[in-house]
Amino acid sequence: MLIFRRLFKFSSQFKESTLTAISPLDGRYASQTTPLKDYFSEYALMKYRIKVEIEWLKFLHSKNMIKQGNSVLNLTALDLTYLDLIYDKFDVTKSFRVKQIESTTNHDVKSIEYYIKEELDKNPILHSMKEYVHFCCTSEDINNIAYSLMMTDAKNNLLMKSLEGVINKLVQLSHDHYNVPMLSRTHGQVASPTTVGKEFANFAYRIRNHSELLRNLKFEAKLNGAVGNYNAHLLAYPNYDWPNLSKQFIEELKLKHNPYTTQIEPHDSVALYYSYLNLINNILLGLSRDVWSYISINYFEQKSIKSEVGSSTMPHKVNPIDFENCEGNLGLSNSLAQHFMNKLVISRYQRDLSDSTVMRNHGVCLGYAVVGYRSLIKGLDKISPNYDTILNDLENHWEVLAEPIQQIMRQYGVPNPYEQLKELTRGQKITKDSLRDFISKLTLPDDIKKKLLSLEPKDYIGNADKMARLI
């Protein structure tokens, strides 16, 4: 009996642990994705919806539209503070009340409206304005603004910081190894030398550029009623300039106003956001695969951690698991990003609900991206150039100097320079001595010939070192 009690106790604890989560985002990676709950959980969506409803109520009040009997309702600063507290004090415990209401209404946005009305009923002054909650709004007026605010906050507070961490690491590696020469490998074959730092700088520059586009992106929003024409607004208050009022309200929330919509805001800005994210993820996928490949040819060494196991059967291995983890998670993020881009911009007639369940998965897409970025940084923290391998590789491939020698030959009128170098080097093992023997027989000025004879693969890096330091 004691054994069964212990098993039951263990089972109860197990059910509450991350080990029982369906998704690794809430299980294995929960410690990395917990901050996303403040933006993408159902509780968070409720809170953003409440914010929009309260701000709309305050906006209507500021335009003298809310009446108490035949008079305009005038609220004090204290009254307005109470309105703000409905949003500010909304917590997970209060969200249970919303779910309780929803169990009856079977409508998530209407449940938010009823919840706010309950809170207004607790205040004798604000009680009289409760029927102006959700005034002239369709659910999508609230939803699209709530999602735009949610995604803006998550972009600014989480995504951009994650990408800044990646960029900073790449810049550091660019500077640390700005002058470490290495062979390029165009088409997987040895090619003109570059530097380790310059190759990291290439990725840093690209990610920084596209991150700025992402940072400056404003999500679009609308508040124009059931089919986008202010039908109810103009019937209730025909003398108000509703398009401009809607624009004012949305821009005060730091969003971009979309004047032409159906019942839903068409999500074009959301699709653009995911196109940027997809592009950034693909660039970092390319980086992960490159570093993985450099590790496989021993250009980079990985720090070994004594307590870690690389293989369950081969004790010598230190596997590039962080880059593989990055690749897998960014691939998952991209699969969702691409679905968002393809799905969300299409809606049947003036509205269908197929976008609703998709929109609830923004946190999943960003969650996999954040896990991928952290894995990438973790992997980059572990690597360092293997100078012996890199320099030996340069020393064993003197044929890469065929390019500069050919250009000098062209410059000084030596006939058929490309063809001569092709015959000398293609498919041949070229050594320092054989190349210098070729140079010595060329008809060139002595100072130029001396310059070529002193050139080594490790020195033929162009301005790679300067570019790496400038990033």
Side-chain angles (χ1 to χ4, degrees):
M1 182 63 70
L2 181 60
I3 293 175
F4 285 116
R5 286 176 182 170
R6 287 176 178 171
L7 284 173
F8 178 78
K9 183 178 180 181
F10 173 80
S11 175
S12 299
Q13 292 171 343
F14 184 76
K15 288 177 183 177
E16 297 171 3
S17 86
T18 56
L19 295 176
T20 59
I22 295 174
S23 163
L25 293 177
D26 292 320
R28 187 176 186 84
Y29 305 133
S31 62
Q32 300 178 48
T33 59
T34 295
L36 274 71
K37 293 180 180 180
D38 291 337
Y39 304 97
F40 297 114
S41 62
E42 186 164 7
Y43 153 71
L45 178 56
M46 289 178 187
K47 189 160 186 174
Y48 276 103
R49 284 167 168 164
I50 290 172
K51 179 180 178 67
V52 177
E53 294 278 16
I54 295 297
E55 290 300 323
W56 181 237
L57 196 58
K58 289 162 58 180
F59 186 81
L60 294 173
H61 171 262
S62 73
K63 303 303 178 184
N64 298 320
M65 293 186 200
I66 299 179
K67 294 181 179 179
Q68 187 175 28
N70 294 322
S71 303
V72 171
L73 178 66
N74 290 312
L75 300 179
T76 66
L78 188 61
D79 295 329
L80 292 172
T81 298
Y82 183 90
L83 282 177
D84 288 332
L85 288 176
I86 295 175
Y87 164 75
D88 292 336
K89 290 193 172 182
F90 185 77
D91 55 20
V92 174
T93 301
K94 289 183 171 63
S95 69
F96 294 139
R97 175 54 189 155
V98 176
K99 292 301 291 183
Q100 188 178 29
I101 297 170
E102 187 183 346
S103 68
T104 301
T105 63
N106 197 30
H107 196 288
D108 49 1
V109 178
K110 201 67 178 176
S111 303
I112 294 293
E113 177 189 339
Y114 288 164
Y115 171 81
I116 293 172
K117 287 179 176 180
E118 284 184 354
E119 293 298 305
L120 293 177
D121 276 335
K122 298 174 184 177
N123 184 297
I125 302 297
L126 300 180
H127 163 78
S128 60
M129 69 186 308
K130 74 175 187 178
E131 292 308 327
Y132 285 87
V133 177
H134 206 69
F135 182 76
C136 288
C137 290
T138 185
S139 296
E140 271 305 298
D141 285 328
I142 305 305
N143 274 337
N144 88 99
I145 299 174
Y147 274 116
S148 290
L149 291 173
M150 168 198 300
M151 294 183 72
T152 298
D153 289 345
K155 173 171 72 79
N156 295 338
N157 299 332
L158 290 180
L159 178 56
M160 297 315 303
K161 289 181 180 179
S162 293
L163 289 173
E164 284 167 11
V166 173
I167 294 167
N168 290 340
K169 185 61 188 176
L170 291 174
V171 169
Q172 178 199 328
L173 290 168
S174 302
H175 294 170
D176 288 349
H177 310 303
Y178 75 96
N179 62 349
V180 178
M182 73 174 202
L183 287 173
S184 294
R185 291 186 174 268
T186 59
H187 306 281
Q189 309 301 309
V190 294
S192 299
T194 180
T195 71
V196 172
K198 172 57 165 46
E199 296 313 298
F200 284 119
N202 291 339
F203 285 103
Y205 180 82
R206 294 169 70 191
I207 297 300
R208 181 182 283 167
N209 272 0
H210 299 306
S211 292
E212 281 308 302
L213 292 173
L214 194 58
R215 186 191 303 276
N216 295 327
L217 173 70
K218 278 193 171 184
F219 289 102
E220 294 183 330
K222 71 99 179 180
L223 201 156
N224 51 17
V227 291
N229 304 326
Y230 303 99
N231 303 45
H233 306 67
L234 289 166
L235 185 65
Y237 288 101
N239 296 324
Y240 281 82
D241 184 353
W242 283 105
N244 274 330
L245 288 174
S246 175
K247 183 174 187 288
Q248 180 187 343
F249 175 71
I250 287 166
E251 290 183 348
E252 285 177 358
L253 293 173
K254 305 293 191 254
L255 302 174
K256 183 178 179 181
H257 177 244
N258 185 349
Y260 286 90
T261 78
T262 59
Q263 184 175 109
I264 66 169
E265 200 288 318
H267 307 310
D268 293 353
S269 62
V270 177
L272 186 58
Y273 163 86
Y274 280 113
S275 72
Y276 290 151
L277 184 66
N278 187 78
L279 176 57
I280 288 169
N281 286 350
N282 275 336
I283 293 169
L284 294 178
L285 277 167
L287 170 63
S288 290
R289 289 171 181 171
D290 272 6
V291 176
W292 186 97
S293 297
Y294 284 126
I295 291 170
S296 73
I297 61 173
N298 208 27
Y299 268 33
F300 289 129
E301 295 177 318
Q302 298 180 95
K303 296 175 187 175
S304 61
I305 299 173
K306 189 175 182 179
S307 62
E308 289 187 356
V309 174
S311 165
S312 63
T313 187
M314 293 174 282
H316 66 281
K317 296 187 74 178
V318 182
N319 293 330
I321 56 173
D322 298 305
F323 300 103
E324 294 165 344
N325 182 283
C326 173
E327 184 176 342
N329 280 295
L330 294 188
L332 284 166
S333 178
N334 275 354
S335 66
L336 284 167
Q338 289 160 15
H339 181 62
F340 288 136
M341 284 188 282
N342 294 329
K343 166 69 198 104
L344 291 177
V345 295
I346 298 170
S347 181
R348 295 175 186 86
Y349 297 126
Q350 283 71 43
R351 205 269 187 275
D352 75 68
L353 266 176
S354 60
D355 68 326
S356 179
T357 189
V358 175
M359 291 286 281
R360 290 179 178 272
N361 285 277
H362 294 302
V364 181
C365 181
L366 186 54
Y368 282 118
V370 167
V371 172
Y373 303 151
R374 290 193 180 188
S375 293
L376 178 60
I377 293 173
K378 186 179 178 183
L380 293 173
D381 278 335
K382 291 180 181 179
I383 63 169
S384 58
N386 187 330
Y387 300 103
D388 290 340
T389 298
I390 290 173
L391 293 175
N392 285 338
D393 217 9
L394 284 162
E395 188 62 28
N396 288 329
H397 289 284
W398 283 77
E399 67 270 21
V400 297
L401 296 183
E403 180 192 38
I405 294 169
Q406 174 202 163
Q407 307 313 318
I408 296 297
M409 291 168 67
R410 289 175 186 274
Q411 186 179 0
Y412 285 93
V414 178
N416 303 316
Y418 178 85
E419 289 73 19
Q420 287 194 55
L421 268 301
K422 177 182 175 183
E423 183 178 351
L424 175 70
T425 61
R426 195 173 192 194
Q428 307 295 320
K429 176 62 179 176
I430 301 301
T431 65
K432 176 179 179 180
D433 292 338
S434 62
L435 193 64
R436 287 184 171 177
D437 181 61
F438 175 84
I439 294 169
S440 66
K441 294 175 182 177
L442 293 173
T443 304
L444 293 170
D446 289 343
D447 60 329
I448 299 300
K449 189 177 292 188
K450 183 179 179 181
K451 180 180 179 180
L452 289 179
L453 287 169
S454 65
L455 184 62
E456 297 186 18
K458 65 182 177 62
D459 302 319
Y460 182 54
I461 59 171
N463 70 343
D465 53 343
K466 294 182 178 65
M467 295 291 286
R469 293 184 72 179
L470 284 172
I471 192 70

